[in-house]
Amino acid sequence: MAQQGAQGGRLRRPRGHRRGDAGDRRDPARRLTDRLAAPAGQDAHWRTGEGCPAILSFQITPIGTVRNDRTDVQHTDNWGAVRSTITIDERFGEACLQGLEGFSHVEVLFLFDQFPEHGDYREPRPNRGRSDLPPVGVFAGRGPRRPNRIGVTCCAIESVHGRELTVVGLDAVSGTPVIDLKPTMTEFLPVDVKQPEWVSRLMSEYFRP
């Protein structure tokens, strides 16, 4: 039986896929579609591969677009002073950012739409192809060529006006689709963060002005 997502997208189960027991009426896939539901009229669906469990695929509609003076995706450093304006789609109304002005920072989730995915993620690679850095798995790095090509950056809020949010320090070129915004809250911030020594070398110029 198909399931109904929060936005009307229908989740289709492959033949032979069984629902969990009676106590598990919202299985993990349903919870995922509740949060990342397909837009109305567009279906989320299951796909299967030989020897693989059912995998949920879904579509996300951007909520807005980045505008700034950065256009070269190969210029990967010096984002610290970049000022970007995110214009939210009019379907969310003029009050969609109301209350965000009370926060100092916002987490911006965006799509690396100008980068292709790697064809094979199984082989560890050094970040940026640098020979002085160790090879790491795809989920031990933050590069743009990754599954689903989703980026996330915590940025300082400069101003909020209607559907326009201006931030500083967003590492996304002009025209980048934004898929979500979340206010940065102290309770969500980690403490006692640690990282390998090579990360500081990799990121030494990244957020410099």
Side-chain angles (χ1 to χ4, degrees):
M1 179 181 296
Q3 296 184 48
Q4 188 72 25
Q7 299 292 328
R10 297 187 67 80
L11 175 63
R12 295 172 180 164
R13 295 179 181 276
R15 184 177 301 172
H17 185 89
R18 298 187 306 170
R19 184 188 297 272
D21 59 23
D24 187 23
R25 295 189 179 277
R26 276 173 42 86
D27 62 16
R30 175 60 186 269
R31 288 194 295 270
L32 178 59
T33 52
D34 283 347
R35 296 177 61 193
L36 297 173
Q42 299 183 21
D43 287 347
H45 62 277
W46 291 87
R47 59 186 176 87
T48 57
E50 184 177 352
C52 298
I55 301 173
L56 176 69
S57 63
F58 54 88
Q59 294 175 310
I60 294 178
T61 300
I63 65 164
T65 307
V66 175
R67 296 296 175 199
N68 57 34
D69 60 2
R70 294 287 291 262
T71 58
D72 184 2
V73 296
Q74 301 304 322
H75 182 189
T76 55
D77 286 324
N78 307 111
W79 294 100
V82 174
R83 180 176 285 99
S84 301
T85 296
I86 300 170
T87 302
I88 305 301
D89 191 272
E90 61 184 7
R91 73 184 188 275
F92 294 103
E94 294 299 317
C96 61
L97 299 176
Q98 182 175 319
L100 197 56
E101 71 279 358
F103 293 86
S104 64
H105 291 75
V106 63
E107 295 166 42
V108 182
L109 284 77
F110 57 94
L111 185 68
F112 291 112
D113 64 315
Q114 297 189 42
F115 287 89
E117 291 190 22
H118 281 305
D120 189 344
Y121 292 105
R122 292 172 293 185
E123 187 69 27
R125 306 167 187 259
N127 281 277
R128 298 189 180 183
R130 286 175 46 170
S131 59
D132 62 320
L133 299 177
V136 295
V138 63
F139 299 117
R142 296 180 65 103
R145 292 183 174 90
R146 59 190 311 104
N148 299 319
R149 298 179 296 168
I150 294 175
V152 56
T153 302
C154 183
C155 308
I157 295 174
E158 183 174 275
S159 64
V160 180
H161 297 291
R163 292 183 290 108
E164 291 191 347
L165 168 65
T166 300
V167 299
V168 177
L170 176 59
D171 51 339
V173 298
S174 192
T176 295
V178 175
I179 59 177
D180 201 3
L181 299 170
K182 294 180 181 289
T184 302
M185 300 178 180
T186 301
E187 289 76 10
F188 280 90
L189 295 177
V191 295
D192 299 327
V193 175
K194 67 177 183 178
Q195 64 184 23
E197 175 275 332
W198 58 264
V199 175
S200 295
R201 286 187 281 128
L202 171 67
M203 301 296 293
S204 61
E205 302 294 322
Y206 197 79
F207 283 113
R208 284 186 182 274

